Amino acid sequence: APQATVPAPREAEALPQEEPQTGAADQAPAPRSTGPAAPGYDDAEREAVLRVMRERRDIRNGFRDDPIPHEVLLRVLEAAHTAPSVGHSQPWDFVVIRSAETRRTMHELAVRQREAYAKSLPKGRAKQFKELKIEAILDTPVNIVVTADPTRGGRHTLGRYTQPQMAPYSAALAVENLWLAARAEGLGVGWVSFFDEREMVRALGLPEHLEVIAYLCVGYVDEFPDEPELMQAGWSKRRPLSWVVHEETYGRRALPGEEPHDLLAETVAQIRPLDAKALGEAWERQKRMTKPAGALGMLEIISAQLSGLSRQCPPPIPEPAAVAVFAGDHGVHAQGVTPWPQEVTGQMVANFLGGGAVCNAFAAQVGAEVCVVDVGVAADLPATPGLLPRKIRGGTSDMTTGPAMTREEAKAAIEVGIETARDLVAAGNKGLLTGEMGIANTTASAALISVFTGADPAEVTGRGTGINDETLVRKTEVVRRALELHQPDPADPIGVLAAVGGFEHAAMVGLLLGGASLRTPVILDGVSAGAAALVARAIAPEVLAACIAGHRSAEPGHVAALNKLGLRPLVDLDLRLGEGTGALLALPLVQSAARAMHEVATFDSAGVTEK
Ligand SMILES: Cc1cc2nc3c(=O)[nH]c(=O)nc-3n(C[C@H](O)[C@H](O)[C@H](O)COP(=O)(O)O)c2cc1C
């Protein structure tokens, strides 16, 4: 008989006190039972339930022709039909398709959508996608269309009144039930969403008022892979549970029974120095590669760094890669440090999203994804695909009259950067690049660099977008005044950031720390990234294990920052644009360094005589 697996509370005192009810005066609170709680399943049964959830897979490969017996399919459909539904409306229908002709029609529709999607991908991703199978419509004996009827249950369906989307949600739960029951029967299921929904309704001759929730390919399979096929293909990574469980309020991440952990502290704790063993293997391998020792110069240092960072030799090639362009505005703009109006920040964000900026052209050329993050733009930006709305505040305060940000704001912006790194890496990116946009942000960069290098503001303040002599003098004085006002202490990096930094600098600090904690290389762009790297290094010195200087910008502060960081830039072309452009140009160099470690033969394997 099933046993209780939860210890039943016996004492009435152990129960939480019932809150007095408001607004439901006619319902007297039910007396709380002091008897044993309803039993759960015994250990073996519970393990079977959890096992089917763990081992359910989306299957596209290895289907067999074996027919599905009616009684098996019936059990699977019955499981689907017992799903929970809003107001018990049971809005689903299941159309079971076996006809080869219908499946061919659906296959053709899916192929067209696949091509459209492939065209939308950055080159680095498209290469990977080409190898992926995304449907098994023709390989499976049975296809099942799951629909939702948004009108079922009548006008007064309980719970759908405020949230009409509850009908499709309910049908999706039926899909999950079907999927789990199928797994228990040894049936593979592959969900295909490469369809235009209305086109599908017409092609299948469905009543127009129905919504298609899922198109499922079902059949017996050779095997169920241990991990999602997309993970095995390197397309995505599993996000840890600890990233997504919050205690009481969003952001207080804690697993049950744990104390909430601080995202920044947790990230810093995971940053490690380069792995000595992998580093040694990389140096050894480079000596044996069919080229004179050291002939790849700086690229040998980069590939060894990538090995030490990933703890693998040869190291993963940083492809696909994504540039995170953090955008923010600056209160110090009011001091006349640039001739550009502040609105340009928001306008350029729109340009990035429309694909018209230099960073888009360079990203397209090198096959990288552009991810735009509003971390503090003054303008309200409309929701647009590709934009992450993470605004802390609509611009910093003027650093010459008070701190640019509060400590809490600076920390929140760092956390935006950490979460951006997590999201991009979990989405399968193997390299990250910093980018930024913020009118007046080179003023903040100069102030940060002056604090961490000890250089005089006159040495590290530059012409940014190309200001004249008079404005340069004013800008330098603005930096000097801000530093005199705040007297920032480099031993308190978050304090420095809050006093004279920008939201995008703080977010870049987070991206660097996040990338390092995930052992993913981060290619730095120009002066603002250099400033952020100085802050990040002051927080966690080992962050440099993940940092690669993409280029040297024309800004004097950048040279000072790189010297202090001990980083040698890969590209030196007098760029002074930002947006991640210099980092993007460096990406193929870093990828080439890693690829050489994989593909270049060794003297012994190629039979080449050493000197
Ligand atoms: C709503 C939804 C739509 C999906 N659409 C597709 C699809 O069109 N093509 C595909 O190959 N997989 C599709 N999948 C499967 C996912 O890629 C798969 O669930 C995910 O990679 C995790 O793998 P797993 O299901 O094996 O755990 C879909 C899954 C869901 C939940």
Side-chain angles (χ1 to χ4, degrees), residues 56-58 60 133-135 179 191-194 228 230:
R56 179 211 52 76
R57 284 277 78 79
D58 184 85
R60 302 134 223 183
K133 192 159 161 28
I134 48 98
E135 49 87 10
W179 213 335
W191 184 327
V192 191
S193 45
F194 280 73
L230 292 185

Side-chain angles (χ1 to χ4, degrees), residues 142-493:
V142 169
N143 291 181
I144 301 176
V145 185
V146 183
T147 61
D149 178 350
T151 62
R152 192 166 298 164
R155 188 160 169 201
H156 303 291
T157 297
L158 188 151
R160 207 180 55 203
Y161 176 72
T162 34
Q163 297 207 43
Q165 71 273 32
M166 289 299 148
Y169 287 3
S170 303
L173 293 170
V175 176
E176 174 72 347
N177 272 15
L178 183 157
W179 213 335
L180 294 170
R183 174 64 188 88
E185 300 282 357
L187 283 171
V189 174
W191 184 327
V192 191
S193 45
F194 280 73
F195 291 115
D196 174 282
E197 197 262 346
R198 285 295 99 184
E199 192 175 42
M200 185 162 34
V201 166
R202 284 191 297 275
L204 292 165
L206 296 170
E208 283 281 337
H209 70 282
L210 296 186
E211 291 173 35
V212 177
I213 302 306
Y215 191 96
L216 306 172
C217 306
V218 186
Y220 288 101
V221 291
D222 291 332
E223 61 167 346
F224 290 91
D226 291 339
E227 294 287 2
E229 288 184 26
L230 292 185
M231 246 176 98
Q232 291 179 328
W235 182 267
S236 64
K237 286 195 172 141
R238 197 180 284 288
R239 299 169 64 92
L241 180 64
S242 61
W243 289 8
V244 297
V245 181
H246 309 252
E247 178 88 15
E248 302 293 350
T249 49
Y250 186 91
R252 274 169 50 99
R253 289 180 173 79
L255 290 176
E258 277 181 1
E259 283 301 307
H261 36 88
D262 177 87
L263 182 55
L264 175 57
E266 181 196 3
T267 304
V268 167
Q270 283 162 355
I271 298 175
R272 296 272 175 281
L274 296 176
D275 179 69
K277 184 163 166 279
L279 207 53
E281 280 170 24
W283 295 129
E284 272 311 303
R285 185 175 177 85
Q286 280 165 355
K287 275 192 230 151
R288 286 186 289 112
M289 280 157 63
T290 45
K291 58 167 189 61
L296 287 180
M298 179 70 190
L299 295 190
E300 296 196 12
I301 297 172
I302 297 287
S303 56
Q305 179 184 355
L306 294 174
S307 297
L309 178 66
S310 62
R311 301 185 200 156
Q312 283 174 44
C313 180
I317 298 169
E319 183 182 51
V323 57
V325 184
F326 296 103
D329 275 306
H330 297 266
V332 74
H333 183 271
Q335 297 297 323
V337 290
T338 167
W340 293 85
Q342 196 165 53
E343 303 88 83
V344 172
T345 305
Q347 291 162 355
M348 281 306 291
V349 166
N351 196 17
F352 301 148
L353 295 167
V358 179
C359 70
N360 302 105
F362 286 7
Q365 182 59 37
V366 302
E369 171 186 338
V370 178
C371 165
V372 186
V373 188
D374 171 9
V375 71
V377 179
D380 284 333
L381 302 173
T384 314
L387 174 66
L388 304 186
R390 304 285 188 273
K391 206 192 293 284
I392 307 291
R393 178 153 58 94
T396 56
S397 306
D398 182 351
M399 65 167 101
T400 63
T401 56
M405 299 173 256
T406 64
R407 267 189 104 82
E408 291 68 36
E409 285 175 332
K411 224 176 136 208
I414 293 176
E415 292 186 350
V416 166
I418 294 173
E419 290 183 359
T420 304
R422 284 182 167 186
D423 286 354
L424 289 172
V425 171
N429 287 293
K430 297 185 185 69
L432 301 177
L433 289 73
T434 71
E436 68 10 88
M437 174 68 213
I439 294 298
N441 73 7
T442 56
T443 305
S445 302
L448 291 169
I449 291 169
S450 177
V451 173
F452 287 102
T453 62
D456 188 84
E459 292 167 48
V460 294
T461 307
R463 291 177 190 271
T465 48
I467 54 177
N468 60 23
D469 291 350
E470 185 195 332
T471 312
L472 178 60
V473 170
R474 189 178 325 125
K475 182 174 171 182
T476 308
E477 279 317 299
V478 162
V479 173
R480 194 182 302 286
R481 262 196 289 141
L483 297 181
E484 276 165 11
L485 173 68
H486 299 290
Q487 303 283 323
D489 173 7
D492 172 22

Side-chain angles (χ1 to χ4, degrees), residues 60 97 99-115 132-140 143 145 192-196 199-200 203-204 215-217:
R60 302 134 223 183
I97 293 170
S99 144
E101 196 189 327
T102 310
R103 286 187 290 125
R104 260 197 306 277
T105 306
M106 297 312 288
H107 179 252
E108 278 161 25
L109 294 182
V111 167
R112 260 202 282 133
Q113 292 295 334
R114 180 192 168 110
E115 284 164 7
L132 286 179
K133 192 159 161 28
I134 48 98
E135 49 87 10
I137 298 171
L138 298 179
D139 314 337
T140 43
N143 291 181
V145 185
V192 191
S193 45
F194 280 73
F195 291 115
D196 174 282
E199 192 175 42
M200 185 162 34
L204 292 165
Y215 191 96
L216 306 172
C217 306

